[in-house]
Amino acid sequence: MSDPILHVGPTTPDTIHDLAQWLCQEAELAIRDRGRFLLALSGGSTPRQLYTLLAEPSWQQRLDWAHTLVFFSDERDVPPTHPDSNFKMASDALLSHLNPVPQAIYRWHTEYSPAMALADYRHHLTLDNTLPVPPTLDVVLLGVGPEGHTASLFPDRPVLDSEDIVSHTYVPTHNSWRYTFTLPLLNASRHIAFLVTGSEKQEIIDQIFTHQAPVPASMIHPVPGDVHWFLDSASAQRLNPN
Ligand code: 6PG
């Protein structure tokens, strides 16, 4: 298990820029070595800034979206047009602006029954059963909630024990059903990239990096993959207080 790789930017824009640059490099390597880039986007609000940057014409040219397959590490169980949808946020900020469009965009089909939606996504993740279970995605973007949740893996929830690669789970604190990648899938990834910004996250970042009580975000240890943390100085404040 490799040590987490820390990228701390002085400001949020610096951190977003560093992650965008790293993402383009990983895409280039994946497409060179395997002919395609398997990327999972994260939800919530933080990544919107990254997606907006990647949608800029000068940045679009730096990532070969035509050979990129886009997944979502979690999704709220709402229609893709709903304001809470992670697909809608990523589509508005990035995907709808891309030309050429990605090789494939696999949104969670929330109009299906949960069982059908999970079966459909397992099929997409294994590229129509051509990849092993759990499949190895090249990059999975993730965020962290203030109590340490990531994707839709929340503390003290049965979903943390799932042996499946995807799950449909109820989140009481948010009164919402969600689809999510599980730990077996996340821990099969080639690269995990957390993007965490803002002083409101400094406490959870400190808790994760000082190995206090484990939270879902600290349970992700891909082998032989690695974990990158893209933090701004505000969220990393307690790691190097000087
Ligand atoms: C979601 C995300 C979730 C998010 C964290 C951080 O669907 O909300 O997948 O895991 O990454 O809640 O969210 P913010 O970036 O909004 O702080």
Side-chain angles (χ1 to χ4, degrees):
M1 180 172 68
S2 59
D3 290 335
I5 302 159
L6 211 48
H7 310 253
V8 181
T11 67
T12 302
D14 289 313
T15 303
I16 297 288
H17 180 278
D18 291 349
L19 175 49
Q21 199 152 18
W22 176 85
L23 207 52
C24 293
Q25 290 164 0
E26 289 304 327
E28 185 176 350
L29 291 172
I31 293 165
R32 180 198 69 186
D33 297 346
R34 291 176 294 280
R36 62 194 174 200
F37 180 43
L38 305 183
L39 169 65
L41 299 179
S42 58
S45 57
T46 305
R48 188 193 302 272
Q49 308 162 71
L50 170 67
Y51 302 160
T52 303
L53 180 65
L54 290 171
E56 290 180 6
S58 60
W59 278 93
Q60 282 199 39
Q61 296 166 18
R62 299 174 57 176
L63 203 160
D64 181 354
W65 290 101
H67 290 89
T68 298
L69 291 82
V70 177
F71 301 86
F72 288 84
S73 48
D74 73 330
E75 179 58 289
R76 290 80 181 277
D77 195 350
V78 295
T81 53
H82 190 283
D84 288 350
S85 164
N86 289 334
F87 168 79
K88 176 174 175 22
M89 183 273 284
S91 184
D92 291 349
L94 173 60
L95 301 175
S96 62
H97 303 283
L98 292 175
N99 180 23
V101 298
Q103 183 178 345
I105 299 175
Y106 295 118
R107 68 171 177 83
W108 290 90
H109 287 288
T110 54
E111 65 273 22
Y112 295 168
S113 70
M116 280 182 65
L118 293 172
D120 186 63
Y121 226 71
R122 283 189 208 94
H123 196 63
H124 290 324
L125 284 164
T126 57
L127 301 186
D128 301 343
N129 302 321
T130 63
L131 294 181
V133 176
T136 296
L137 300 182
D138 291 304
V139 170
V140 178
L141 296 178
L142 292 173
V144 179
E147 83 296 280
H149 84 263
T150 191
S152 286
L153 303 175
F154 284 74
D156 311 321
R157 302 297 306 150
V159 65
L160 292 173
D161 298 325
S162 172
E163 294 180 357
D164 199 345
I165 58 173
V166 288
S167 185
H168 185 243
T169 177
Y170 179 67
V171 182
T173 49
H174 295 57
N175 188 27
S176 74
W177 281 94
R178 298 188 171 196
Y179 291 98
T180 186
F181 285 5
T182 58
L183 290 175
L185 178 57
L186 293 169
N187 283 329
S189 306
R190 190 165 272 114
H191 306 291
I192 294 284
F194 283 103
L195 172 60
V196 184
T197 63
S199 55
E200 69 280 6
K201 298 287 178 72
Q202 64 178 287
E203 187 173 336
I204 191 62
I205 290 298
D206 179 55
Q207 180 178 333
I208 290 167
F209 277 81
T210 54
H211 310 294
Q212 299 169 41
V215 292
S218 59
M219 299 174 182
I220 297 178
H221 305 292
V223 177
D226 55 27
V227 180
H228 294 253
W229 289 84
F230 288 86
L231 310 174
D232 63 1
S233 56
S235 62
Q237 177 61 33
R238 297 196 191 182
L239 300 188
N240 45 11
N242 51 8

